[in-house]
Amino acid sequence: MSEKWVFFDLDGTLTQSEEGIWNCAKYAAERMGFPTPDAGTLRKFIGPPLVWSFQELMGMTEAQAYEAQEIYRERYIVKGKYENKVYPGVRAMMRALRSRGVHMGIVTGKPEQATRDILEYFGLMKFVERISCTKDSRAEKEHLIRAVMPDAPAEIWMVGDRKFDMEGGVRVGAHTVGVTYGYGSPEELRASGAEFLAEDAWRVAEIICPGVEKPRGAFLSMEGLDGSGKSTQMEKLTETLEKFGFEVVHSREPGGTPIGEKIREILLSRENMEMTEVTEALLYAAGRAQHVREKIRPAIAAGQVLLCDRFLDSSVAYQGGGRQLGVDQVLAINAPAVEETLPLLTVYLDLDHRTSLKRRSEASQLDRMEVEKEEFHARVEEGYHELIRRNPERYVVVDARGDREVIAEQIGKAVLGKLLEEEE
Ligand code: TYD
Protein backbone atom coordinates (compact mmCIF):
# COMPACT_ATOMS: atom_id res chain seq x y z
CA MET A 1 0.00 0.00 0.00
CA SER A 2 1.33 3.44 -0.86
CA GLU A 3 2.01 6.06 1.79
CA LYS A 4 -0.56 8.68 2.68
CA TRP A 5 0.57 12.27 2.85
CA VAL A 6 -1.68 15.07 4.03
CA PHE A 7 -0.74 18.69 3.49
CA PHE A 8 -2.50 21.33 5.53
CA ASP A 9 -2.86 24.99 5.00
CA LEU A 10 -2.20 26.76 8.34
CA ASP A 11 -4.34 29.91 8.70
CA GLY A 12 -8.03 29.11 8.66
CA THR A 13 -7.40 25.36 8.61
CA LEU A 14 -5.34 24.45 11.68
CA THR A 15 -5.22 27.80 13.40
CA GLN A 16 -7.59 30.68 13.64
CA SER A 17 -5.25 33.55 13.19
CA GLU A 18 -7.64 36.36 12.46
CA GLU A 19 -6.94 38.38 15.55
CA GLY A 20 -3.21 38.59 14.82
CA ILE A 21 -3.66 39.10 11.09
CA TRP A 22 -6.23 41.83 11.56
CA ASN A 23 -4.23 43.68 14.19
CA CYS A 24 -1.15 43.61 11.95
CA ALA A 25 -3.00 44.65 8.78
CA LYS A 26 -4.59 47.56 10.66
CA TYR A 27 -1.25 48.55 12.08
CA ALA A 28 0.42 48.48 8.65
CA ALA A 29 -2.39 50.45 6.99
CA GLU A 30 -2.31 53.12 9.69
CA ARG A 31 1.48 53.43 9.59
CA MET A 32 1.28 53.83 5.81
CA GLY A 33 -1.23 56.66 6.22
CA PHE A 34 -4.11 54.69 4.74
CA PRO A 35 -7.57 54.63 6.35
CA THR A 36 -8.13 51.86 8.92
CA PRO A 37 -9.62 48.91 7.00
CA ASP A 38 -13.16 47.95 8.05
CA ALA A 39 -14.14 44.50 9.29
CA GLY A 40 -15.26 43.29 5.85
CA THR A 41 -11.94 44.27 4.24
CA LEU A 42 -9.95 42.76 7.08
CA ARG A 43 -11.73 39.44 6.68
CA LYS A 44 -10.52 39.24 3.08
CA PHE A 45 -6.90 39.52 4.23
CA ILE A 46 -6.90 35.94 5.41
CA GLY A 47 -5.65 33.52 2.80
CA PRO A 48 -4.32 35.51 -0.15
CA PRO A 49 -0.73 36.79 -0.28
CA LEU A 50 -0.32 40.02 1.70
CA VAL A 51 1.06 42.08 -1.17
CA TRP A 52 -1.95 41.12 -3.26
CA SER A 53 -4.32 42.09 -0.42
CA PHE A 54 -2.73 45.49 0.18
CA GLN A 55 -2.99 46.27 -3.54
CA GLU A 56 -6.40 44.80 -4.33
CA LEU A 57 -8.22 45.48 -1.08
CA MET A 58 -6.65 48.76 -0.05
CA GLY A 59 -5.65 50.34 -3.35
CA MET A 60 -1.91 50.50 -2.65
CA THR A 61 0.68 50.60 -5.42
CA GLU A 62 2.97 47.62 -5.68
CA ALA A 63 5.81 49.49 -3.96
CA GLN A 64 3.52 50.61 -1.13
CA ALA A 65 2.18 47.09 -0.74
CA TYR A 66 5.71 45.72 -0.25
CA GLU A 67 6.44 48.40 2.32
CA ALA A 68 3.16 47.64 4.12
CA GLN A 69 4.13 43.97 4.14
CA GLU A 70 7.38 44.84 5.90
CA ILE A 71 5.57 46.83 8.58
CA TYR A 72 3.00 44.08 8.98
CA ARG A 73 5.73 41.51 9.54
CA GLU A 74 7.54 43.62 12.12
CA ARG A 75 4.48 43.48 14.36
CA TYR A 76 3.60 39.94 13.37
CA ILE A 77 6.92 38.47 14.47
CA VAL A 78 6.73 39.80 18.00
CA LYS A 79 3.00 39.88 18.70
CA GLY A 80 0.67 38.92 15.91
CA LYS A 81 1.64 35.29 15.55
CA TYR A 82 0.57 34.48 19.10
CA GLU A 83 -2.79 36.26 18.76
CA ASN A 84 -3.92 32.95 17.44
CA LYS A 85 -5.78 29.79 18.42
CA VAL A 86 -6.02 26.18 17.33
CA TYR A 87 -9.42 25.15 15.94
CA PRO A 88 -11.44 22.68 18.02
CA GLY A 89 -10.76 19.10 16.96
CA VAL A 90 -7.45 19.82 15.22
CA ARG A 91 -5.35 18.09 17.88
CA ALA A 92 -7.60 15.02 17.91
CA MET A 93 -7.53 14.91 14.10
CA MET A 94 -3.74 15.10 13.88
CA ARG A 95 -3.27 12.54 16.65
CA ALA A 96 -5.66 10.16 14.93
CA LEU A 97 -3.97 10.55 11.53
CA ARG A 98 -0.58 9.97 13.12
CA SER A 99 -1.89 6.81 14.79
CA ARG A 100 -2.81 5.52 11.31
CA GLY A 101 0.70 6.16 10.01
CA VAL A 102 -0.33 9.12 7.87
CA HIS A 103 2.46 11.60 7.07
CA MET A 104 1.64 15.25 7.55
CA GLY A 105 3.00 18.49 6.18
CA ILE A 106 2.20 22.19 6.19
CA VAL A 107 1.88 24.28 3.06
CA THR A 108 1.40 27.94 3.83
CA GLY A 109 1.80 31.42 2.50
CA LYS A 110 3.38 32.41 5.83
CA PRO A 111 7.12 32.87 6.24
CA GLU A 112 8.90 29.81 7.57
CA GLN A 113 10.06 31.18 10.92
CA ALA A 114 6.57 32.33 11.91
CA THR A 115 5.14 29.00 10.80
CA ARG A 116 7.62 27.05 12.89
CA ASP A 117 7.12 29.33 15.91
CA ILE A 118 3.35 28.89 15.78
CA LEU A 119 3.54 25.10 15.40
CA GLU A 120 6.09 24.91 18.23
CA TYR A 121 4.10 27.22 20.52
CA PHE A 122 0.94 25.16 20.11
CA GLY A 123 2.71 21.81 20.37
CA LEU A 124 1.75 20.79 16.83
CA MET A 125 5.26 20.44 15.46
CA LYS A 126 5.46 16.81 16.61
CA PHE A 127 2.78 15.84 14.08
CA VAL A 128 4.48 17.52 11.13
CA GLU A 129 7.27 16.11 8.96
CA ARG A 130 7.52 18.68 6.19
CA ILE A 131 6.92 22.39 5.92
CA SER A 132 6.64 24.41 2.73
CA CYS A 133 6.47 28.17 3.11
CA THR A 134 6.46 31.15 0.82
CA LYS A 135 9.81 32.61 0.02
CA ASP A 136 8.42 35.28 -2.23
CA SER A 137 4.96 36.43 -1.41
CA ARG A 138 3.52 35.42 -4.76
CA ALA A 139 4.36 31.74 -4.62
CA GLU A 140 1.36 29.65 -5.57
CA LYS A 141 0.12 26.75 -3.48
CA GLU A 142 0.76 24.38 -6.38
CA HIS A 143 4.51 25.08 -6.25
CA LEU A 144 4.53 24.99 -2.47
CA ILE A 145 2.94 21.54 -2.50
CA ARG A 146 5.28 20.27 -5.24
CA ALA A 147 8.26 21.36 -3.15
CA VAL A 148 7.38 18.87 -0.37
CA MET A 149 5.53 16.11 -2.21
CA PRO A 150 7.16 12.69 -1.87
CA ASP A 151 8.98 11.37 -4.97
CA ALA A 152 7.57 7.87 -4.74
CA PRO A 153 3.95 7.36 -5.72
CA ALA A 154 1.75 8.18 -2.74
CA GLU A 155 -1.81 9.09 -1.88
CA ILE A 156 -1.72 12.86 -1.50
CA TRP A 157 -4.30 15.03 0.24
CA MET A 158 -4.53 18.80 0.40
CA VAL A 159 -6.65 20.27 3.19
CA GLY A 160 -7.44 23.97 3.25
CA ASP A 161 -10.09 26.63 3.70
CA ARG A 162 -9.66 28.77 0.56
CA LYS A 163 -9.77 28.39 -3.19
CA PHE A 164 -5.99 28.76 -3.42
CA ASP A 165 -5.62 25.52 -1.45
CA MET A 166 -8.16 23.61 -3.54
CA GLU A 167 -6.75 24.84 -6.85
CA GLY A 168 -3.19 23.99 -5.82
CA GLY A 169 -4.31 20.54 -4.69
CA VAL A 170 -6.16 19.86 -7.92
CA ARG A 171 -3.13 20.91 -10.01
CA VAL A 172 -0.81 18.45 -8.27
CA GLY A 173 -3.38 15.65 -8.54
CA ALA A 174 -4.15 15.48 -4.81
CA HIS A 175 -7.45 14.64 -3.15
CA THR A 176 -8.84 17.86 -1.74
CA VAL A 177 -10.74 18.57 1.47
CA GLY A 178 -12.19 22.04 1.96
CA VAL A 179 -12.86 22.97 5.58
CA THR A 180 -15.90 25.17 5.98
CA TYR A 181 -15.08 26.45 9.49
CA GLY A 182 -12.26 28.61 8.12
CA TYR A 183 -12.44 31.73 5.99
CA GLY A 184 -13.81 30.40 2.69
CA SER A 185 -17.43 29.57 1.96
CA PRO A 186 -18.63 26.13 0.85
CA GLU A 187 -19.46 27.66 -2.55
CA GLU A 188 -15.92 29.01 -2.97
CA LEU A 189 -14.47 25.64 -2.00
CA ARG A 190 -16.74 23.63 -4.26
CA ALA A 191 -16.22 25.96 -7.23
CA SER A 192 -12.44 25.62 -6.86
CA GLY A 193 -12.51 21.85 -6.96
CA ALA A 194 -12.98 20.59 -3.37
CA GLU A 195 -13.62 16.88 -3.54
CA PHE A 196 -14.86 16.76 0.10
CA LEU A 197 -16.13 19.39 2.50
CA ALA A 198 -15.52 19.12 6.26
CA GLU A 199 -17.57 21.15 8.71
CA ASP A 200 -15.15 20.56 11.59
CA ALA A 201 -11.56 19.45 11.98
CA TRP A 202 -12.38 16.00 13.29
CA ARG A 203 -14.37 15.28 10.11
CA VAL A 204 -11.10 15.67 8.16
CA ALA A 205 -9.68 12.62 9.94
CA GLU A 206 -12.82 10.61 9.15
CA ILE A 207 -12.66 11.57 5.47
CA ILE A 208 -9.00 10.66 5.08
CA CYS A 209 -9.11 7.55 7.28
CA PRO A 210 -12.69 6.23 7.38
CA GLY A 211 -13.54 4.54 10.66
CA VAL A 212 -10.67 6.14 12.57
CA GLU A 213 -11.22 6.36 16.34
CA LYS A 214 -11.04 9.51 18.40
CA PRO A 215 -8.04 9.55 20.72
CA ARG A 216 -8.96 9.51 24.40
CA GLY A 217 -9.42 12.78 26.22
CA ALA A 218 -8.35 13.52 29.78
CA PHE A 219 -9.77 13.97 33.26
CA LEU A 220 -8.59 16.87 35.41
CA SER A 221 -9.82 18.01 38.80
CA MET A 222 -9.68 21.24 40.73
CA GLU A 223 -9.49 21.15 44.53
CA GLY A 224 -9.23 23.57 47.40
CA LEU A 225 -10.94 24.86 50.51
CA ASP A 226 -14.18 26.74 50.11
CA GLY A 227 -13.50 30.21 48.77
CA SER A 228 -10.15 29.35 47.19
CA GLY A 229 -11.23 30.66 43.78
CA LYS A 230 -11.86 27.38 41.96
CA SER A 231 -14.64 28.71 39.72
CA THR A 232 -12.56 31.61 38.44
CA GLN A 233 -9.60 29.37 37.74
CA MET A 234 -11.77 26.76 36.01
CA GLU A 235 -12.89 29.48 33.57
CA LYS A 236 -9.39 30.73 32.95
CA LEU A 237 -7.94 27.29 32.46
CA THR A 238 -10.72 26.49 30.01
CA GLU A 239 -9.87 29.58 27.95
CA THR A 240 -6.23 28.53 27.80
CA LEU A 241 -6.97 24.93 26.86
CA GLU A 242 -9.46 25.96 24.19
CA LYS A 243 -6.90 28.29 22.65
CA PHE A 244 -4.77 25.19 22.16
CA GLY A 245 -7.62 23.31 20.50
CA PHE A 246 -8.69 21.09 23.41
CA GLU A 247 -12.40 20.48 23.79
CA VAL A 248 -13.18 21.22 27.44
CA VAL A 249 -16.28 20.25 29.42
CA HIS A 250 -17.00 21.20 33.01
CA SER A 251 -18.52 19.25 35.80
CA ARG A 252 -18.68 19.38 39.56
CA GLU A 253 -19.03 17.30 42.70
CA PRO A 254 -21.21 16.82 44.50
CA GLY A 255 -23.42 16.86 41.41
CA GLY A 256 -22.57 16.61 37.73
CA THR A 257 -25.56 14.41 36.80
CA PRO A 258 -29.31 14.76 37.50
CA ILE A 259 -29.09 12.08 40.21
CA GLY A 260 -25.91 13.61 41.57
CA GLU A 261 -27.53 17.03 41.81
CA LYS A 262 -30.36 15.56 43.91
CA ILE A 263 -27.81 13.96 46.21
CA ARG A 264 -26.04 17.31 46.38
CA GLU A 265 -29.19 18.95 47.70
CA ILE A 266 -29.42 16.39 50.49
CA LEU A 267 -25.74 16.82 51.33
CA LEU A 268 -25.65 20.58 51.45
CA SER A 269 -29.06 21.34 52.95
CA ARG A 270 -28.95 22.74 56.45
CA GLU A 271 -32.12 20.79 57.19
CA ASN A 272 -29.95 17.68 57.43
CA MET A 273 -27.74 18.61 60.36
CA GLU A 274 -28.28 15.21 62.00
CA MET A 275 -26.59 13.33 59.09
CA THR A 276 -23.95 10.89 60.36
CA GLU A 277 -20.39 10.93 59.06
CA VAL A 278 -20.67 7.56 57.36
CA THR A 279 -23.97 8.50 55.68
CA GLU A 280 -22.30 11.64 54.39
CA ALA A 281 -19.28 9.77 53.00
CA LEU A 282 -21.53 7.17 51.34
CA LEU A 283 -23.70 9.85 49.74
CA TYR A 284 -20.69 11.67 48.27
CA ALA A 285 -19.47 8.30 46.97
CA ALA A 286 -22.92 7.42 45.56
CA GLY A 287 -23.08 10.66 43.58
CA ARG A 288 -19.54 9.99 42.37
CA ALA A 289 -20.38 6.47 41.16
CA GLN A 290 -23.11 7.92 38.96
CA HIS A 291 -20.91 10.78 37.79
CA VAL A 292 -18.00 8.56 36.81
CA ARG A 293 -20.21 6.30 34.68
CA GLU A 294 -22.70 8.76 33.27
CA LYS A 295 -20.41 11.67 32.51
CA ILE A 296 -16.68 11.35 33.19
CA ARG A 297 -15.90 8.13 31.31
CA PRO A 298 -18.05 9.01 28.28
CA ALA A 299 -16.36 12.43 28.05
CA ILE A 300 -12.88 10.87 28.10
CA ALA A 301 -13.95 8.32 25.48
CA ALA A 302 -15.25 11.15 23.30
CA GLY A 303 -11.84 12.84 23.37
CA GLN A 304 -12.86 15.68 25.66
CA VAL A 305 -10.95 17.21 28.54
CA LEU A 306 -13.28 16.92 31.51
CA LEU A 307 -12.49 19.52 34.13
CA CYS A 308 -14.14 18.73 37.43
CA ASP A 309 -14.71 21.08 40.35
CA ARG A 310 -13.80 18.66 43.20
CA PHE A 311 -13.50 14.87 43.06
CA LEU A 312 -12.32 12.03 45.30
CA ASP A 313 -9.70 14.19 47.04
CA SER A 314 -12.51 16.29 48.53
CA SER A 315 -13.87 13.18 50.23
CA VAL A 316 -10.46 12.26 51.57
CA ALA A 317 -9.95 15.78 52.92
CA TYR A 318 -13.48 16.57 54.17
CA GLN A 319 -14.77 13.18 55.31
CA GLY A 320 -11.39 11.54 55.97
CA GLY A 321 -9.81 14.61 57.60
CA GLY A 322 -12.64 16.97 58.54
CA ARG A 323 -15.03 14.27 59.81
CA GLN A 324 -12.14 12.11 61.02
CA LEU A 325 -13.23 8.94 59.23
CA GLY A 326 -9.63 8.46 58.17
CA VAL A 327 -8.10 8.18 54.73
CA ASP A 328 -8.35 4.40 54.47
CA GLN A 329 -12.03 4.17 55.29
CA VAL A 330 -12.89 6.94 52.84
CA LEU A 331 -10.84 5.30 50.08
CA ALA A 332 -12.53 1.98 50.80
CA ILE A 333 -16.00 3.53 50.59
CA ASN A 334 -15.07 5.15 47.27
CA ALA A 335 -13.30 2.22 45.66
CA PRO A 336 -16.36 0.78 43.86
CA ALA A 337 -17.46 4.29 42.86
CA VAL A 338 -14.29 5.33 41.04
CA GLU A 339 -12.51 2.04 40.23
CA GLU A 340 -9.61 3.08 37.98
CA THR A 341 -11.04 6.47 37.03
CA LEU A 342 -8.72 9.03 38.63
CA PRO A 343 -7.64 12.48 37.46
CA LEU A 344 -4.55 12.72 35.30
CA LEU A 345 -3.74 15.92 37.14
CA THR A 346 -5.27 17.80 40.08
CA VAL A 347 -4.93 21.52 40.59
CA TYR A 348 -4.85 22.43 44.26
CA LEU A 349 -5.56 26.04 45.14
CA ASP A 350 -3.71 26.34 48.38
CA LEU A 351 -5.48 28.59 50.87
CA ASP A 352 -5.06 28.37 54.64
CA HIS A 353 -8.26 27.60 56.51
CA ARG A 354 -8.38 30.97 58.30
CA THR A 355 -8.36 32.95 55.08
CA SER A 356 -10.85 30.47 53.68
CA LEU A 357 -13.09 31.08 56.70
CA LYS A 358 -12.84 34.84 56.22
CA ARG A 359 -13.76 34.59 52.54
CA ARG A 360 -16.58 32.21 53.39
CA SER A 361 -18.12 34.44 56.01
CA GLU A 362 -18.34 37.17 53.37
CA ALA A 363 -20.50 34.89 51.23
CA SER A 364 -24.23 35.25 51.79
CA GLN A 365 -25.54 31.68 52.20
CA LEU A 366 -23.42 29.14 54.01
CA ASP A 367 -24.20 25.46 53.34
CA ARG A 368 -24.14 22.54 55.77
CA MET A 369 -20.39 21.98 55.27
CA GLU A 370 -19.43 25.62 55.39
CA VAL A 371 -21.05 26.25 58.78
CA GLU A 372 -18.64 23.76 60.39
CA LYS A 373 -16.29 25.19 62.97
CA GLU A 374 -12.71 26.22 62.44
CA GLU A 375 -11.13 22.94 63.66
CA PHE A 376 -13.06 21.05 61.01
CA HIS A 377 -11.62 23.21 58.23
CA ALA A 378 -8.15 23.03 59.75
CA ARG A 379 -8.37 19.21 59.48
CA VAL A 380 -9.61 19.49 55.88
CA GLU A 381 -6.61 21.64 55.03
CA GLU A 382 -4.28 19.14 56.67
CA GLY A 383 -6.05 16.33 54.76
CA TYR A 384 -5.21 17.98 51.47
CA HIS A 385 -1.61 18.55 52.46
CA GLU A 386 -1.30 14.90 53.41
CA LEU A 387 -2.65 13.83 50.01
CA ILE A 388 -0.18 16.08 48.22
CA ARG A 389 2.70 14.71 50.28
CA ARG A 390 1.65 11.19 49.31
CA ASN A 391 1.46 11.74 45.53
CA PRO A 392 3.13 15.01 44.63
CA GLU A 393 3.39 14.10 40.94
CA ARG A 394 -0.38 14.28 40.47
CA TYR A 395 -0.74 17.81 41.87
CA VAL A 396 -0.25 21.31 40.58
CA VAL A 397 -0.15 23.34 43.79
CA VAL A 398 -0.59 27.09 43.55
CA ASP A 399 -0.84 29.78 46.20
CA ALA A 400 -4.49 30.86 46.07
CA ARG A 401 -3.79 34.21 47.73
CA GLY A 402 -1.84 35.54 44.77
CA ASP A 403 -2.98 37.57 41.81
CA ARG A 404 -5.58 35.59 39.84
CA GLU A 405 -3.92 36.27 36.49
CA VAL A 406 -0.59 35.02 37.82
CA ILE A 407 -2.27 31.94 39.30
CA ALA A 408 -4.04 31.30 35.99
CA GLU A 409 -0.74 31.46 34.15
CA GLN A 410 0.93 29.00 36.51
CA ILE A 411 -1.95 26.56 36.22
CA GLY A 412 -2.20 26.96 32.44
CA LYS A 413 1.47 26.25 31.97
CA ALA A 414 1.53 23.16 34.16
CA VAL A 415 -1.66 21.64 32.76
CA LEU A 416 -0.71 22.29 29.14
CA GLY A 417 2.70 20.80 29.80
CA LYS A 418 1.07 17.59 31.00
CA LEU A 419 -1.55 17.39 28.25
CA LEU A 420 1.00 17.99 25.49
CA GLU A 421 3.28 15.39 27.03
CA GLU A 422 0.40 12.90 26.93
CA GLU A 423 0.17 13.43 23.17
CA GLU A 424 3.76 12.38 22.55
P1 TYD B 1 -19.65 23.55 46.78
O1 TYD B 1 -20.77 24.48 46.71
O2 TYD B 1 -19.26 22.85 45.57
O3 TYD B 1 -18.46 24.26 47.49
P2 TYD B 1 -17.34 25.13 46.83
O4 TYD B 1 -18.03 26.03 45.89
O5 TYD B 1 -16.71 25.81 47.98
O6 TYD B 1 -16.44 24.14 46.19
O7 TYD B 1 -20.02 22.54 47.91
C1 TYD B 1 -19.32 21.41 48.08
C2 TYD B 1 -19.09 21.18 49.53
O8 TYD B 1 -19.05 19.78 49.72
C3 TYD B 1 -17.77 21.74 49.96
O9 TYD B 1 -17.87 22.30 51.25
C4 TYD B 1 -16.89 20.52 50.03
C5 TYD B 1 -17.83 19.41 50.31
N1 TYD B 1 -17.43 18.09 49.77
C6 TYD B 1 -17.14 17.05 50.65
O10 TYD B 1 -17.21 17.24 51.85
N2 TYD B 1 -16.80 15.83 50.15
C7 TYD B 1 -16.75 15.58 48.83
O11 TYD B 1 -16.42 14.45 48.39
C8 TYD B 1 -17.05 16.66 47.92
C9 TYD B 1 -16.99 16.43 46.45
C10 TYD B 1 -17.38 17.88 48.44
Side-chain angles (χ1 to χ4, degrees):
M1 230 173 62
S2 66
E3 285 187 340
K4 260 189 203 179
W5 274 88
V6 182
F7 295 105
F8 295 100
D9 163 59
L10 187 61
D11 286 343
T13 302
L14 298 183
T15 57
Q16 185 177 15
S17 48
E18 60 207 20
E19 199 191 328
I21 292 177
W22 294 345
N23 289 344
C24 294
K26 264 200 234 168
Y27 175 78
E30 282 162 12
R31 282 265 310 269
M32 294 289 294
F34 277 74
T36 306
D38 59 30
T41 308
L42 283 173
R43 245 193 302 278
K44 297 193 187 123
F45 260 84
I46 295 156
L50 276 175
V51 170
W52 181 91
S53 300
F54 282 122
Q55 284 178 265
E56 299 299 317
L57 307 176
M58 302 219 50
M60 292 188 186
T61 64
E62 191 176 351
Q64 285 173 325
Y66 273 100
E67 197 183 333
Q69 174 175 263
E70 279 312 301
I71 300 172
Y72 175 105
R73 286 188 178 160
E74 272 168 33
R75 186 185 181 282
Y76 192 79
I77 293 298
V78 287
K79 269 193 150 156
K81 67 185 173 200
Y82 301 119
E83 292 164 341
N84 203 330
K85 61 198 269 192
V86 178
Y87 282 106
V90 162
R91 311 197 81 84
M93 180 261 290
M94 294 182 93
R95 281 177 76 181
L97 290 178
R98 183 183 60 182
S99 75
R100 290 289 191 97
V102 174
H103 301 279
M104 286 173 268
I106 305 290
V107 170
T108 173
K110 264 189 196 315
E112 177 151 0
Q113 194 54 50
T115 302
R116 286 186 182 276
D117 289 346
I118 291 168
L119 293 170
E120 238 9 294
Y121 177 75
F122 286 117
L124 296 177
M125 197 64 190
K126 57 181 171 257
F127 300 116
V128 171
E129 292 171 54
R130 293 184 185 174
I131 296 179
S132 183
C133 298
T134 328
K135 293 201 180 56
D136 84 73
S137 49
R138 270 180 280 215
E140 302 237 355
K141 283 270 154 116
E142 176 191 350
H143 305 301
L144 294 175
I145 304 171
R146 287 200 194 283
V148 282
M149 261 167 72
D151 296 329
E155 184 182 317
I156 313 273
W157 291 77
M158 177 66 208
V159 182
D161 70 314
R162 297 299 308 271
K163 66 174 183 186
F164 311 94
D165 307 311
M166 300 301 101
E167 288 167 355
V170 169
R171 287 200 199 108
V172 305
H175 294 289
T176 48
V177 182
V179 299
T180 58
Y181 55 78
Y183 301 106
S185 64
E187 296 72 40
E188 169 184 328
L189 291 162
R190 244 184 248 112
S192 52
E195 192 180 337
F196 299 91
L197 292 184
E199 61 283 3
D200 59 58
W202 173 249
R203 183 79 196 114
V204 174
E206 293 178 327
I207 291 169
I208 297 174
C209 293
V212 70
E213 270 181 34
K214 255 207 176 153
R216 285 172 67 74
F219 173 28
L220 308 171
S221 63
M222 192 74 98
E223 296 278 354
L225 297 184
D226 305 86
S228 56
K230 284 187 277 95
S231 324
T232 310
Q233 293 304 332
M234 296 248 308
E235 291 305 326
K236 295 204 174 284
L237 178 58
T238 302
E239 243 174 66
T240 304
L241 296 182
E242 285 179 346
K243 187 175 167 189
F244 275 67
F246 290 100
E247 194 191 331
V248 184
V249 284
H250 285 186
S251 201
R252 67 167 181 185
E253 284 200 358
T257 65
I259 293 172
E261 292 294 330
K262 286 186 191 157
I263 298 176
R264 176 187 175 92
E265 275 172 37
I266 301 173
L267 278 164
L268 300 186
S269 166
R270 281 164 66 173
E271 284 173 14
N272 298 329
M273 297 309 280
E274 70 276 24
M275 188 184 294
T276 73
E277 284 87 0
V278 177
T279 312
E280 180 179 294
L282 285 164
L283 282 175
Y284 278 112
R288 186 162 296 132
Q290 188 68 26
H291 192 208
V292 163
R293 285 151 187 84
E294 186 177 328
K295 191 155 176 191
I296 299 178
R297 287 180 189 161
I300 300 171
Q304 298 168 323
V305 173
L306 187 127
L307 183 51
C308 195
D309 184 345
R310 300 191 180 280
F311 191 66
L312 177 60
D313 294 346
S314 281
S315 279
V316 175
Y318 283 80
Q319 283 64 55
R323 299 282 188 228
Q324 296 177 295
L325 288 177
V327 176
D328 293 336
Q329 191 178 351
V330 171
L331 288 179
I333 286 174
N334 277 277
V338 300
E339 290 171 337
E340 79 295 355
T341 305
L342 289 171
L344 173 69
L345 210 58
T346 297
V347 175
Y348 180 64
L349 291 159
D350 196 9
L351 187 68
D352 64 276
H353 67 277
R354 286 198 186 83
T355 312
S356 156
L357 180 72
K358 204 164 142 268
R359 289 194 188 175
R360 256 185 351 259
S361 57
E362 285 159 7
S364 46
Q365 276 278 322
L366 295 184
D367 64 39
R368 193 178 62 86
M369 307 298 292
E370 288 167 327
V371 295
E372 278 298 330
K373 41 192 186 312
E374 185 176 335
E375 301 86 79
F376 173 85
H377 292 281
R379 288 196 299 270
V380 173
E381 185 186 359
E382 179 42 36
Y384 275 123
H385 288 169
E386 174 62 28
L387 269 171
I388 294 164
R389 274 195 296 275
R390 285 196 193 188
N391 10 217
E393 66 296 337
R394 177 159 64 84
Y395 292 93
V396 176
V397 181
V398 289
D399 185 345
R401 289 164 315 172
D403 176 78
R404 37 169 90 172
E405 295 302 327
V406 176
I407 297 174
E409 217 182 298
Q410 290 171 336
I411 296 175
K413 209 167 154 215
V415 172
L416 276 173
K418 184 73 178 174
L419 291 180
L420 297 185
E421 186 189 307
E422 287 290 300
E423 290 177 343
E424 291 294 341

